[in-house]
Structures are given as C-alpha cells and as structure tokens.
Amino acid sequence: MEEDKKDNIDVLNPQDEKSEVSNFIRFFIDQDLASGKHKNIVTRFPPEPNGYLHIGHAKSICLNFGLARDYKGKCHLRFDDTNPTAEDVEYVDSIMDDVRWLGFSWEDNLFYASDYYDQLYNYAEFLIKEGKAFVCDLNQDEMRKLRGTLTEPGIESPYRNRTVEENLDLFRRMKEGEFEEGTKSLRAKIDMKSPNINMRDPVIYRIKKAHHHRTGDKWCIYPMYDYTHCISDAIEGITHSICTLEFEDHRPLYDWCLDQLPVPCHPRQIEFARLNLTYTVMSKRLLRALVEENLVNGWDDPRMPTIAGMRRRGYTPEAIRNFADKIGVAKANSIVDFNLLQFCLRDDLNIKAKRVMVVLDPLEIEIENYPDGQVEFLDAENNPEDITAGSHKIAFTKHLFIEKDDFKEDAPKKWFRLAPGAEMRLKHAYYITCNHVIKNEQGEVIKLICTYDPESKGGWSKDGRKVKGTAHWVSKDHVLNIEVRMYDQLFKVPNPMDIPEGMDYKINLNQDSLRVIKNCYAEESLKDAQSGEKFQFLRQGYFTVDYDSTPENPVFNRIVGLKDSWSKIENK
RNA sequence: UGGGAUGUCGUCUAAUGGUAGGACAGUGGACUCUGGAUCCAUAUGUAGGGGUUCAAAUCCUCUCAUCCCAGCCA
C-alpha cells in the first residue's frame, strides 16, 4: 500500500507521462483545454455495485484516474445505484477496496447516484411541466409491441398526450406508491419514429417496490440509467464522461436530457472499446455463473479475472497499471493477448520478488563424500536484479532433494542438467556429479548417489571448468513442507465466447486450471513469509502466500511461471 | 435488410496530407551460478476497387467484413 501511494505522488511531471501515450481521448481533452472550453478536467469511474470488478474495469479505472492524474484534474468515484434489486453493499465495499488497491484515490469525491434522487425527481417534474415527459399506462409487453423494430418505426402511446396536470398528478401518485409495479412508468416524449430506438420515448422512471441498499424504503420509483447518468455527470461538473462503445447509441439521449434541463453544465460523453483478454471471459453474467455454479471458488478465486481474484493470485497493482498503459485506448473492438499481461507481471515481479528454492517434485540425492552430520549455511542472494536486497542463509547437508525433472537417465542433446556421470551445479553451493542411480522394483529412479567437489564451494570451480546446468535444491533435514497451487487458464481456447451453435460456454472450460501439489519441499526461510509477500521459486515461477495459508499448513499460489526456453528446445 | 460505430504486422497500438513506428508474441545470436533476467539482430501490416493530390493509412467515392441497438438492466 505504501508503495502504491508513493507511485501516485511520484508523477510530478505529467508532461513526461503524456509524451509516452497518445490516444483519441487525450486528443479531445487537449482540444477542449486549448480552446478554453475547460480549465481543468473532471472524470469519473461509475460502476454499478452489482458484482465484483474485473480487469476490464481496471482499464477504465486506470484511464479515468490516470487522465485526472496527468492533467492535474479530478476523478470521482460514483456508484450508479439506480437498480436496487441488483445491488448490494457487499459490492460497494469490494469496489472501493479494488480501486484503492490499484493505487488510485478519489479523495473526497465519493458519490452515489442515489444521492441525487431528490434532484432527479425534481428534474422529472420539470420535464413533465415542459411537456417533455408523460406517464404511460402501457405494460411492458404492450410497450414492446408499439416500440417498432430495427427497421420499422414505433407507434405513439395512447397516453402520450395527457395534460401536464394529469401527468404531474399521476407521477406524484406513482411516487406515493399508489400503483403496482409495471402498471405505470414515466417516459420522455421524444420521437417514436426515430431510427435510434433509444429515442423512441424511453422510460425514465419505473415503479420498483424494492429496498435500496442506501435509501432504504424511501422510494418506490427509481430513475433509469440514461436519465440518471447524464444528470449525475452534470451535477458533479464532469467534463469528460468516458464510457464503453455500447453506449454510443445512447449519446443522443444523454445529450437530449441535458438539453431539456436547467443543469449546471453539459459534459461530453466519449466512448472507447472495452477490454477483452484471450483465454478468459469478461462479462459479469458469465463470471457470476462461474461463481454460482461452483466452477470456481468464489469471486476471488485466483483463476478469476476479477481484481479480487488477481490480487489473491499475487498480481501487483503496478503490473496491472502498466498493462492498462500498454494496451492503449481506442474504438476498435479487440482481444488482447494474455501474454502481454504475463509480461507485465514478470517484468514487475522480477525486480521485486525474493528468490528462494522450493522443490516441487522431489528426488533424493546423497553426497557420498560429504561428512555425515555436517551442516553448512551458505549465502543465497535475495535478488540478482537488486543488490540492495541482500542475502539469506540456506543449509547444505549430505542428504538433499532436487527436482525430479532435473535428472534424466538418458540425457538428450543439449541437456545441461544431471545425468549419470554428468556434472551439474547446485545453486549457491557445489558442483556435483551423479555416480549411481538407485531404482525401486518398478524400475523408477528413487535416489541418486553423487559426489561433490569441495573446491567448488559457492558455485565456482578453482580450475575454471564450466558447468552449464544449475539446479535448485533443498536440504533433507531443513525442509518446510508446503502446499503449492498451480493455476492455468480458466478456458482452453483463446476466445471462449466463440461457441459452436447451440453449445454452452462451459465446453471451453479448462478442467485442469487448478493443480494442487502437496508436500513440496521449501527452504526453511519460507516459514517467515508474510501474507501478500511475493517470491520467485528459483527456476519455477513467481509465487505468493494464499489466504488459506496457516503456519501449520503454508499454501502458495503460483502467480505466473517463468519463461521456459528449455521446453522450446525440447520440442524441436 | 433501419440506425450507430470500427477495419494498420500474429496480437494490441502510434502516425492528425509528408520516412508506416513501438510493445507483446515469434525467430536467430551473445551473455549468464535461474534453460530466468539482460543485450543485439530480424521477418511479417494500412480490408478491397476507383478518384483527388507533387505526395494518401489519413481526403472523396463505391464495395466488403466485423461489432452494438428492439430491458420498466447498466
């Protein structure tokens, strides 16, 4: 958290930051600033509290808060809470957590659309008095029939020409709760023949006898998104109201509402393409389905693309912010390669993560020329990328474990690791040579007998001979037993939404997205691992302490693996 | 087939009439006590056809492809 704050304050010269990035939104802002239309900009991040935020929202958060930071403006956090049946404080809290965790601050600019219910109501009466809105008795079915289709114009409601007095009276009685849900609504009087269906007398208030998580039972009529959003923006003095592409068709309605009303300003709505990532889904509907059908373990399952899930997995806010920066902002629909996110993660973790040694799949070795009972505490650097990170001690003894994968009885070409008769370096320790292979009755290798070169302490030989392979290891008498959770993509295919006719999205689920490995042997220093601390398990990948971890049963999540160029060589 | 938008390397994104550039991914190499990191080098792109211009990814025009819209959801 400290680091995040520092990161934000760090940006003292927005010009530097701006020169790196350019996008059409910044172009508009530059124009509006240059023309004198605005002196300062105000943006907003406006989630509906009806679910957990995901990496797509992170893009929007970084965009809106990033713009405010770079232009020395403000970014509000506003909850778009106009549909009480879908919303909950659980989500409000998680959203605030997520935005903070990402490293952004809304300062004292926290708002709720529900804060404006009174103003919104008064503006609605204003609209009625101007003859621009009417109470309609059509039910949902009837309204749909009169709305027309994509190619045919709609037909005006028979209630469209009620008098102002009648409309005012009915609307007030709606508010008083006199009518049942669905029997009446308030509609804007615009144009039933408009080719834009949003303009065909859209509903702006509906009756919902539902408890609201903030206003309780005060209201039984609730304003609709299109009517609420533009007015909320105007009330808050938003200059640039940035939303996703699907609202492009709503912009005429956004502008219409503000044109009719005596609002303080008229923000500019700008639309950009939402984020899609390969091998995952980004729709709240599907993410909710994964949770509710127990295909994952909750919204913060480390496989989920939710911010809560990524945080638990071990992703860093810096990596996500950097990712948001790199993908840019544009209007073309696109699917970003998941590799880019992984790159950003490794890039950040590489300079931060403490190096430790953990053997996931152990193979015992005995150093036959090493004294029984002797223990040496060897120096292991914490991070080769950061000399200030210091070092820690690891125990070396006669009996050790190495990774099963680091030994091959029949070594292929270009094999640098251990094989019968071959020499390999144990990281931070000695050169060893494999002399005997011990097998069980099934013919499986269960133990190796090796010798070490006492002259190679620290990993260097006096005669200067080169050993290409270096492996991680852990002393048999100094192990910490840990559980490791290896995560893979939730879906098997790059675009899980590309589903064959009549099939369920679940056919693309990766059944092996979670692999739990128990009884991994970690160096003892890991017993002091703090919650949230990031490690590189040497040659394996980046890991962090999971929420389930206890001192008795330490649990680590693999955040992301290391790049593996051996597998490429092997495949050739 | 009404309306709104969008098409630039495999992917994402710059270029705002004047050298099509960057990042990721890929490939080749160097280096390395992590087959990690780092460094160097590299191929591949303006959806298509016409037009305007000394000059077009950019302007005009036609075509094609893709996405969004018929909630009292946001």
Side-chain angles (χ1 to χ4, degrees):
Chain A
M1 261 322 184
E2 265 319 296
E3 278 179 12
D4 297 344
K5 276 185 216 149
K6 194 177 73 200
D7 215 273
N8 269 334
I9 300 163
D10 226 24
V11 186
L12 293 175
N13 189 351
Q15 294 308 318
D16 291 348
E17 175 107 359
K18 278 169 72 178
S19 65
E20 288 175 36
V21 280
S22 164
N23 61 52
F24 74 102
I25 297 177
R26 285 174 187 256
F27 182 81
F28 289 154
I29 291 174
D30 289 338
Q31 270 186 339
D32 291 343
L33 255 20
S35 72
K37 183 177 174 185
H38 299 297
K39 285 193 73 178
N40 293 295
I41 66 153
V42 185
T43 58
R44 101 267 93 109
F45 174 62
E48 183 189 17
N50 69 343
Y52 281 69
L53 260 27
H54 54 61
I55 178 102
H57 295 106
K59 175 182 179 180
S60 175
I61 292 167
C62 293
L63 209 209
N64 281 294
F65 282 94
L67 249 17
R69 175 195 61 205
D70 296 344
Y71 285 92
K72 298 195 185 302
K74 300 280 181 203
C75 180
H76 298 183
L77 174 62
R78 180 172 72 234
F79 288 98
D80 228 331
D81 55 350
T82 55
N83 183 5
T85 52
E87 298 153 7
D88 196 278
V89 283
E90 174 195 354
Y91 302 124
V92 171
D93 293 341
S94 76
I95 288 168
M96 290 199 284
D97 276 354
D98 289 346
V99 174
R100 269 191 295 254
W101 177 76
L102 274 174
F104 294 105
S105 170
W106 52 87
E107 296 166 14
D108 51 356
N109 298 301
L110 173 64
F111 303 100
Y112 294 81
S114 53
D115 289 342
Y116 310 132
Y117 280 172
D118 285 311
Q119 288 169 85
L120 259 1
Y121 177 83
N122 291 334
Y123 279 134
E125 285 207 353
F126 181 90
L127 233 37
I128 292 170
K129 288 173 191 158
E130 294 286 303
K132 298 286 176 56
F134 65 99
V135 172
C136 185
D137 293 4
L138 257 24
N139 65 31
Q140 228 173 130
D141 266 350
E142 296 163 333
M143 207 179 285
R144 187 183 315 119
K145 283 184 185 121
L146 293 190
R147 187 153 35 225
T149 67
L150 294 178
T151 52
E152 298 157 327
I155 295 163
E156 293 185 351
S157 161
Y159 305 98
R160 197 175 200 262
N161 294 312
R162 292 217 252 229
T163 63
V164 168
E165 291 68 31
E166 191 181 0
N167 281 322
L168 222 40
D169 174 60
L170 289 170
F171 187 50
R172 287 171 180 164
R173 286 161 61 192
M174 276 170 67
K175 182 192 175 200
E176 294 311 314
E178 267 188 51
F179 309 112
E180 292 309 306
E181 285 187 17
T183 60
K184 280 185 169 50
S185 62
L186 184 70
R187 293 226 260 164
K189 197 187 285 187
I190 309 180
D191 178 12
M192 289 306 290
K193 293 191 210 50
S194 172
N196 181 347
I197 293 178
N198 293 301
M199 300 298 270
R200 317 237 263 231
D201 292 2
V203 169
I204 56 176
Y205 263 92
R206 78 287 215 187
I207 299 169
K208 258 185 198 284
K209 302 197 170 172
H211 186 83
H212 187 280
H213 60 99
R214 295 192 79 243
T215 58
D217 297 315
K218 179 180 175 191
W219 296 86
C220 64
I221 56 171
Y222 291 93
M224 298 285 287
Y225 163 84
D226 285 302
Y227 175 74
T228 308
H229 204 91
C230 53
I231 296 173
S232 305
D233 281 347
I235 289 171
E236 291 176 24
I238 302 298
T239 56
H240 301 269
S241 179
I242 301 166
C243 62
T244 44
L245 246 32
E246 67 269 26
F247 292 104
E248 238 159 358
D249 288 342
H250 295 243
R251 183 162 15 106
L253 181 51
Y254 183 103
D255 290 331
W256 182 90
C257 288
L258 295 184
D259 285 342
Q260 313 310 315
L261 266 9
V263 287
C265 64
H266 192 137
R268 174 177 189 171
Q269 177 177 307
I270 303 171
E271 309 86 8
F272 73 98
R274 59 167 68 237
L275 170 68
N276 293 293
L277 252 190
T278 56
Y279 297 101
T280 191
V281 293
M282 216 62 92
S283 91
K284 246 182 217 177
R285 198 192 99 242
L286 289 185
L287 294 179
R288 182 183 303 281
L290 290 170
V291 173
E292 288 175 356
E293 295 172 42
N294 290 315
L295 297 165
V296 295
N297 303 313
W299 288 100
D300 69 348
D301 186 297
R303 292 165 293 182
M304 290 283 272
T306 52
I307 296 178
M310 295 188 297
R311 177 176 6 172
R312 178 168 183 178
R313 171 84 166 254
Y315 284 40
T316 61
E318 291 81 358
I320 294 173
R321 278 189 253 130
N322 190 234
F323 172 72
D325 226 55
K326 280 188 147 60
I327 57 176
V329 181
K331 294 197 69 155
N333 283 308
S334 61
I335 305 180
V336 175
D337 191 338
F338 193 82
N339 277 313
L340 184 58
L341 218 206
Q342 295 204 323
F343 166 82
C344 293
L345 261 177
R346 293 189 185 111
D347 199 40
D348 186 41
L349 261 10
N350 181 42
I351 56 172
K352 288 182 182 161
K354 179 180 175 183
R355 270 61 169 175
V356 293
M357 297 200 285
V358 178
V359 175
L360 300 179
D361 187 10
L363 172 62
E364 186 176 349
I365 65 174
E366 181 181 328
I367 313 291
E368 55 184 345
N369 59 338
Y370 194 83
D372 283 332
Q374 178 171 313
V375 183
E376 285 180 276
F377 287 94
L378 304 170
D379 219 32
E381 66 191 347
N382 288 333
N383 189 337
E385 307 293 323
D386 178 8
I387 46 165
T388 66
S391 64
H392 64 284
K393 298 287 183 189
I394 42 173
F396 186 89
T397 57
K398 186 182 182 77
H399 299 277
L400 309 168
F401 292 113
I402 63 166
E403 206 70 54
K404 213 170 253 174
D405 283 351
D406 284 335
F407 173 77
K408 261 197 195 330
E409 209 171 4
D410 302 305
K413 273 181 291 185
K414 292 198 175 176
W415 176 259
F416 300 158
R417 284 114 89 176
L418 211 54
E423 189 171 40
M424 176 183 79
R425 177 191 290 112
L426 292 179
K427 180 80 179 174
H428 308 304
Y430 293 99
Y431 290 3
I432 59 165
T433 305
C434 174
N435 298 320
H436 306 290
V437 180
I438 298 173
K439 298 179 183 176
N440 62 13
E441 288 153 9
Q442 287 80 45
E444 295 160 346
V445 178
I446 53 167
K447 189 172 177 180
L448 303 176
I449 306 296
C450 305
T451 51
Y452 84 116
D453 174 4
E455 299 290 294
S456 63
K457 183 166 180 175
W460 302 98
S461 69
K462 288 237 168 75
D463 62 11
R465 70 182 186 278
K466 292 268 195 261
V467 173
K468 276 194 166 171
T470 302
H472 57 282
W473 53 275
V474 59
S475 163
K476 190 182 178 184
D477 304 322
H478 301 81
V479 293
L480 177 73
N481 202 304
I482 66 169
E483 174 180 327
V484 167
R485 297 178 183 170
M486 307 288 269
Y487 298 103
D488 197 358
Q489 306 288 11
L490 252 182
F491 293 90
K492 294 180 288 196
V493 295
N495 183 3
M497 298 307 286
D498 193 13
I499 305 158
E501 193 71 23
M503 297 295 263
D504 195 84
Y505 77 101
K506 287 199 276 285
I507 64 156
N508 286 327
L509 269 178
N510 177 9
Q511 301 300 328
D512 304 313
S513 55
L514 169 62
R515 203 172 101 238
V516 177
I517 312 178
K518 299 205 185 228
N519 301 314
C520 298
Y521 294 149
E523 64 172 71
E524 285 182 308
S525 73
L526 228 42
K527 72 177 189 304
D528 300 320
Q530 301 296 304
S531 162
E533 197 175 354
K534 313 288 189 289
F535 298 92
Q536 186 194 99
F537 291 4
L538 228 55
R539 305 203 301 136
Q540 309 272 16
Y542 294 99
F543 293 78
T544 195
V545 182
D546 186 71
Y547 299 168
D548 288 344
S549 193
T550 62
E552 297 72 37
N553 180 34
V555 179
F556 288 80
N557 294 327
R558 184 173 70 178
I559 307 167
V560 61
L562 253 27
K563 273 174 82 174
D564 179 12
S565 48
W566 166 247
S567 66
K568 284 171 196 161
I569 297 167
E570 197 177 25
N571 288 335
K572 278 184 196 169

